[in-house]
Amino acid sequence: MIKEGIGLGTMFYGTGYGNGFPDVSKAEAVLRADGKVAVHTGATEVGQGAKTAMTQIACEVLGLKVNDIILISEDTSNMPDSGTAAASRQTYNTGNAVKKTCEDLREKIKEEAKLKLNLNTDVGLKLKDGYVYVETLPEKSIALKDLAKDKSLKIKGSFTAQTTEMDPETGQGAPYWPYTFGACAVKVSVDTLTGEVNVLKAVFTQDVGRAINPSLVEGQMDGGFSMALGYALLEDINVDNGKIKNDSFTNYLIPTSLDMIDIDNILIEDPENTAPYGAKGVGEPVMIPVTPAILNAIYDAVKVRITEIPVTPSRVLKELNKSKK
Amino acid sequence: MKDIKINVNGKTHKLNIKEDERLVDTLRNRLGLTGVKEGCSEGECGACTVIMDGETVTSCTVLTFQAKGKEIITIEGINGGNKIHPIQQAFLDEGAVQCGFCTPGMILSAKVLLDKNPEPTREEARKAISGNLCRCTGYNKIVDAIIKASKYLKREGN
């Protein structure tokens, strides 16, 4: 018999290394002679979109177009350290370092423009599309490339996240900052004859602070859901006496396109005040609430609480048989 | 060693190959077509997908002599090698690429689908890429991209 059930999972997750561990990101920004800005930072791109997000942040601060930011993030001889692309920390930590560094460069550019344009002050100066201009008199302007002609402007900056060590005795404290929150609801079917579980429908919400790039966030949510779906139902490395038995894709099954479903992704934007434009990390958080939601939905469908993953058909049948006795 | 002729991306190559040489190695090492990715080496992951006479094959499980006289298309030759293909454009526009390792295989599987079925449903698109594993995207934006590509191709009248 096919039985259906609905389940919910919720989570919160602390961004960054946490627990007092120094969590530092660095960046350098250089106004080049051609008027473009080079941003050097060690935010490793692994497909999550770090290069896009860092470029967007620099564009926003400096009023430049994407093609006018040269991001150097893979040449280790030519960029400062920005820590690992781990702990869902790059957008928050390195994003902050890039934003702060570009803001300092922007102020330096304004100062230079003040001198070049013979102004009393740099108050009311704006940067847009490669020009600095007086907001109330836009014809009073100078191109960034003319500013950089005889003097290269270079800024170094860094950002250190505020984390404190927990009390080792009580485990109390505030080890992470900031936290992200998420919730996922799924509908599953359980075949009581074969033990097969299928996820039929999913609604997935993720607090992102501010989505620097909504499409990238959705991509992270889809990917996190898929990984968690595999974690819940398919993936078993099957360690026996210290040896991994399922060591190939023939028996270590990860979800295919036919295992995945279309998800109703909902981004919650509640800007975090210490974050770059309010943005928080979502890389790992998006995997967390999905497996509990699936397990709760299985319970709702067949009233059997499964506490071991992956929930393979044989495990479902075993638990169903146990519950009948 | 064995002399064979294969046609890759519209060009005929005369090659002197080892009898047990795999197509993935010929394409990558002899012809420099490194867009052909080797993942699992056992035909499970689809990263090394190429098109052989209009059908997708995993080039890690094809021996090069089996490609004798056949027409192979790799990601490098998908649009004559000069211009971005509408399927590639759709992948970019939909954010269907994350780490990129599965992308060449995904695009070639999508091409074979769209060559045969210009207006696939989402389910048909899912089925067409079910032999291509992706760990990053959760596949949904890839499905979005295939549907968008079918519209781009229709607009271009291909």
Side-chain angles (χ1 to χ4, degrees):
Chain A
M1 192 165 43
I2 307 280
K3 292 195 167 179
E4 289 186 355
I6 289 170
L8 179 72
T10 59
M11 73 95 214
F12 73 112
Y13 179 91
T15 302
Y17 300 144
N19 204 26
F21 193 85
D23 195 337
V24 183
S25 282
K26 293 178 186 167
E28 287 173 27
V30 186
L31 177 61
R32 309 192 324 173
D34 60 2
K36 297 185 178 191
V37 171
V39 176
H40 303 244
T41 191
T44 304
E45 175 62 61
V46 290
Q48 82 281 38
K51 287 170 84 170
T52 306
M54 296 312 142
T55 304
Q56 281 185 259
I57 289 169
C59 285
E60 189 75 20
V61 175
L62 295 162
L64 288 172
K65 299 238 161 41
V66 167
N67 288 341
D68 294 324
I69 299 291
I70 313 295
L71 189 79
I72 293 131
S73 67
E74 276 134 5
D75 179 351
T76 52
S77 68
N78 199 15
M79 68 194 200
D81 184 16
S82 298
T84 53
S88 305
R89 60 179 286 287
Q90 284 294 0
T91 301
Y92 176 75
N93 279 63
T94 307
N96 261 325
V98 167
K99 180 165 180 273
K100 196 164 163 262
T101 306
C102 288
E103 282 168 352
D104 287 350
L105 180 66
R106 183 181 65 197
E107 296 317 302
K108 200 162 177 177
I109 287 169
K110 286 183 186 175
E111 219 172 276
E112 283 300 313
K114 182 191 102 175
L115 297 174
K116 285 269 164 63
L117 295 170
N118 288 319
L119 302 170
N120 299 325
T121 169
D122 59 12
V123 170
L125 283 177
K126 289 269 171 195
L127 275 75
K128 195 161 192 277
D129 297 339
Y131 285 85
V132 200
Y133 63 94
V134 180
E135 202 177 8
T136 48
L137 186 65
E139 53 267 41
K140 200 89 177 154
S141 80
I142 182 165
L144 294 188
K145 65 173 188 281
D146 293 330
L147 274 185
K149 224 166 19 195
D150 33 57
K151 190 176 175 190
S152 101
L153 304 181
K154 183 175 177 177
I155 293 285
K156 290 184 181 189
S158 80
F159 174 80
T160 303
Q162 183 64 272
T163 81
T164 52
E165 207 174 336
M166 286 185 294
D167 186 316
E169 294 296 322
T170 63
Q172 296 297 299
Y176 291 97
W177 193 261
Y179 288 89
T180 55
F181 303 87
C184 178
V186 298
K187 185 178 177 184
V188 305
S189 69
V190 183
D191 187 328
T192 56
L193 200 64
T194 64
E196 191 184 351
V197 177
N198 278 305
V199 178
L200 307 173
K201 192 175 162 42
V203 182
F204 196 7
T205 62
Q206 176 63 46
D207 156 39
V208 298
R210 166 95 69 200
I212 299 279
N213 188 308
S215 175
L216 287 174
V217 175
E218 288 165 11
Q220 293 290 291
M221 293 175 78
D222 286 341
F225 188 96
S226 171
M227 286 184 210
L229 176 74
Y231 184 57
L233 301 177
L234 302 168
E235 299 178 31
D236 183 3
I237 66 172
N238 194 7
V239 178
D240 183 29
N241 262 329
K243 192 176 183 313
I244 292 172
K245 290 226 154 164
N246 293 350
D247 61 354
S248 81
F249 289 129
T250 308
N251 43 26
Y252 186 86
L253 305 177
I254 73 169
T256 71
S257 52
L258 292 173
D259 297 307
M260 259 302 275
I261 54 164
D262 285 316
I263 303 165
D264 185 3
N265 287 323
I266 300 167
L267 279 59
I268 311 283
E269 294 193 283
D270 177 18
E272 152 64 32
N273 66 7
T274 65
Y277 301 107
K280 299 190 284 194
V282 295
E284 291 153 301
V286 289
M287 207 190 136
I288 299 171
V290 180
T291 300
I294 292 172
L295 294 176
N296 285 338
I298 294 170
Y299 177 74
D300 188 44
V302 293
K303 302 291 175 257
V304 168
R305 185 57 77 183
I306 296 180
T307 54
E308 224 181 316
I309 52 170
V311 185
T312 54
S314 60
R315 196 160 271 156
V316 171
L317 291 179
K318 204 173 106 188
E319 295 298 327
L320 283 175
N321 284 335
K322 247 199 267 175
S323 73
K324 277 184 207 148
K325 281 172 191 165
Chain B
M1 299 296 274
K2 190 176 163 60
D3 289 317
I4 66 158
K5 271 189 208 172
I6 54 173
N7 185 295
V8 181
N9 298 332
K11 218 173 129 191
T12 301
H13 298 266
K14 279 189 211 168
L15 299 170
N16 183 239
I17 57 154
K18 287 184 277 183
E19 283 81 355
D20 62 351
E21 187 165 320
R22 301 177 310 164
L23 184 57
V24 62
D25 296 321
T26 307
L27 294 171
R28 285 181 59 88
N29 302 339
R30 292 188 193 274
L31 303 179
L33 300 170
T34 50
V36 186
K37 301 297 175 196
E38 182 168 11
C40 68
S41 317
E42 55 186 28
E44 292 280 2
C45 77
C48 67
T49 298
V50 299
I51 301 173
M52 185 157 88
D53 281 355
E55 298 289 342
T56 54
V57 293
T58 49
S59 61
C60 72
T61 58
V62 174
L63 293 176
T64 306
F65 77 82
Q66 294 175 294
K68 187 180 164 187
K70 305 234 159 123
E71 282 184 23
I72 311 280
I73 296 170
T74 71
I75 193 68
E76 288 89 347
I78 190 175
N79 213 19
N82 302 317
K83 233 172 60 193
I84 196 164
H85 189 278
I87 302 174
Q88 292 172 307
Q89 189 61 53
F91 269 61
L92 292 176
D93 292 347
E94 287 297 322
V97 179
Q98 286 191 31
C99 88
F101 202 82
C102 74
T103 310
M106 286 287 181
I107 288 171
L108 292 167
S109 289
K111 182 175 189 311
V112 170
L113 168 73
L114 293 167
D115 284 347
K116 293 178 184 173
N117 177 2
E119 283 177 80
T121 63
R122 290 183 75 80
E123 268 321 293
E124 287 165 339
R126 282 191 185 282
K127 209 170 164 193
I129 56 164
S130 62
N132 296 82
L133 295 179
C134 172
R135 194 48 147 172
C136 307
T137 64
Y139 304 102
N140 290 343
K141 287 193 180 291
I142 296 177
V143 175
D144 294 343
I146 293 171
I147 302 302
K148 179 161 269 186
S150 79
K151 292 183 183 131
Y152 287 174
L153 288 164
K154 195 175 173 188
R155 206 171 56 201
E156 287 197 3
N158 287 355

